[in-house]
Amino acid sequence: HIEKQKEEEAAKARSEEANYGTLGPPTWGTIEAPWQHREKMWDPKLQKEVFVRRGFADTQYLRAHSSWWARDEPTYIQQAGLRAPPVHINDNAADWAVQRLGV
């Protein structure tokens, strides 16, 4: 009985770890404030338990000032003055594509 309880607690702890999707550990690296931690709290609006990342503002600061962290989030893209060209109706760029398959 005790072993089963320990296994259930370990499985629950694994399911509560930070998850970046189904790919497993991130291959691009991570940058997080070492004092950042997750904390359970009750959200009265959602009527359920949620996780809050304490110290995440410090992580965002580290990412914003890192020399190697990719700044592909919309905020950084906007701050850099980058944007996609405007979309035009009846854009003639589709006419530039040439079919290369022989029949």
Side-chain angles (χ1 to χ4, degrees):
H1 178 71
I2 294 172
E3 289 177 19
K4 185 175 181 177
Q5 184 179 4
K6 286 181 182 179
E7 287 175 15
E8 289 173 359
E9 288 175 4
K12 185 178 178 184
R14 281 192 304 270
S15 69
E16 293 175 354
E17 290 176 4
N19 185 0
Y20 291 99
T22 59
L23 299 175
T27 57
W28 58 88
T30 60
I31 183 167
E32 294 183 347
W35 49 86
Q36 175 182 301
H37 65 279
R38 290 168 33 121
E39 187 176 292
K40 280 185 185 180
M41 65 180 291
W42 180 259
D43 188 325
K45 186 174 182 181
L46 297 175
Q47 291 295 310
K48 66 178 187 177
E49 212 170 49
V50 296
F51 286 96
V52 175
R53 287 201 274 176
R54 302 286 182 196
F56 186 66
D58 298 324
T59 292
Q60 288 179 310
Y61 179 86
L62 291 173
R63 291 176 180 175
H65 293 86
S66 169
S67 62
W68 61 270
W69 185 258
R71 291 169 191 80
D72 56 355
E73 293 150 0
T75 304
Y76 297 127
I77 292 171
Q78 186 179 16
Q79 287 174 354
L82 303 173
R83 61 180 179 276
V87 179
H88 300 288
I89 295 177
N90 299 329
D91 188 356
N92 64 350
D95 296 333
W96 300 340
V98 178
Q99 184 175 356
R100 298 285 183 189
L101 294 174
V103 185

